[in-house]
């Protein structure tokens, strides 16, 4: 079952519409376009960005796994400061999952434990996810420029 979704609610569409508004301030021809044409530009650029994003994700996951297992998990780099810090982040949440630290019985205690785990893992998540988001934003900008150039050449 394929779910239909509104592409206008995606963060990529919102980012591209923001970038298009900035481009409209710079370019007189883009200012003359009506809102439907601007929306069409954003939708087409978002669709292309989403397709390429899946390819980037498929490539990115093995690369990050190689980074984790090849660099962080390698005994040669055990004295590296970054590797010690990175391993320490993951090792700091192990007691929560092994049962050494009680999650509590009330719902607010469990929520607090989940929040603690999230806050401890946040630096590692930022390090691992930021290259992916940077790549997606670069692809989105490129696709937006292509769509703008296509529309400008058509006129």
């Amino acid at each position: 079952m394929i779910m239909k979704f509104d592409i206008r609610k995606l963060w990529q569409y919102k980012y591209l519409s923001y970038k298009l508004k900035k481009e409209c301030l710079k370019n007189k021809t883009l200012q003359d376009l009506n809102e439907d044409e601007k929306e069409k530009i954003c939708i087409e650029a978002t669709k292309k960005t989403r397709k390429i994003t899946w390819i980037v994700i498929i490539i990115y996951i093995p690369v990050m796994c190689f980074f984790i297992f090849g660099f962080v998990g390698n005994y040669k780099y055990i004295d590296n400061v970054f590797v010690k810090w990175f391993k320490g982040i993951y090792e700091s949440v192990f007691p929560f999952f092994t049962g050494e630290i009680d999650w509590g019985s009330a719902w607010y205690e469990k929520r607090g434990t989940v929040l603690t785990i999230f806050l401890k893992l946040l630096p590692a998540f930022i390090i691992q996810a930021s290259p992916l988001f940077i790549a997606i934003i670069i692809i989105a900008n490129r696709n937006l420029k292509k769509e703008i150039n296509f529309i400008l050449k058509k006129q």
Side-chain angles (χ1 to χ4, degrees):
M1 182 173 148
I2 297 176
M3 293 178 50
K4 296 279 184 180
F5 62 91
D6 188 13
I7 202 163
R8 289 179 217 98
K9 293 182 181 177
L10 299 173
W11 68 272
Q12 291 170 335
Y13 176 83
K14 292 176 182 176
Y15 172 75
L16 288 171
S17 64
Y18 166 75
K19 288 296 281 186
L20 183 62
K21 286 177 187 173
K22 284 181 76 174
E23 287 292 323
C24 286
L25 295 175
K26 297 176 188 175
N27 193 335
K28 180 69 174 155
T29 312
L30 290 175
Q31 288 176 357
D32 296 339
L33 295 175
N34 60 13
E35 290 300 318
D36 292 337
E37 291 174 337
K38 291 178 184 178
E39 185 174 340
K40 184 178 176 185
I41 291 171
C42 288
I43 288 174
E44 289 302 316
T46 303
K47 285 180 181 178
K48 289 179 182 177
T49 301
R50 286 186 56 83
K51 287 177 186 175
I52 297 173
T53 297
W54 285 110
I55 296 169
V56 170
I57 288 172
I58 289 170
I59 294 169
Y60 183 77
I61 289 174
V63 169
M64 278 315 291
C65 288
F66 178 75
F67 169 73
I68 297 282
F69 297 119
F71 183 67
V72 176
N74 195 338
Y75 68 90
K76 294 178 188 176
Y77 304 110
I78 202 155
D79 291 333
N80 188 325
V81 177
F82 173 75
V83 171
K84 285 182 182 179
W85 173 78
F86 199 75
K87 281 184 178 179
I89 288 174
Y90 286 108
E91 290 172 355
S92 69
V93 296
F94 282 158
F96 291 106
F97 297 112
T98 59
E100 295 175 24
I101 296 178
D102 186 26
W103 284 47
S105 57
W107 64 270
Y108 63 86
E109 291 173 338
K110 292 178 181 169
R111 280 187 175 176
T113 304
V114 169
L115 181 63
T116 303
I117 292 170
F118 174 74
L119 290 176
K120 285 187 175 191
L121 291 177
L122 187 62
F125 177 73
I126 290 171
I127 288 172
Q128 291 175 332
S130 59
L132 179 64
F133 288 119
I134 291 170
I136 291 170
I137 287 174
I138 290 171
I139 291 166
N141 287 337
R142 187 176 146 265
N143 285 332
L144 181 65
K145 293 215 186 278
K146 279 185 175 181
E147 286 296 319
I148 290 173
N149 288 338
F150 178 72
I151 294 294
L152 292 178
K153 285 180 183 177
K154 206 163 67 170
Q155 288 184 346

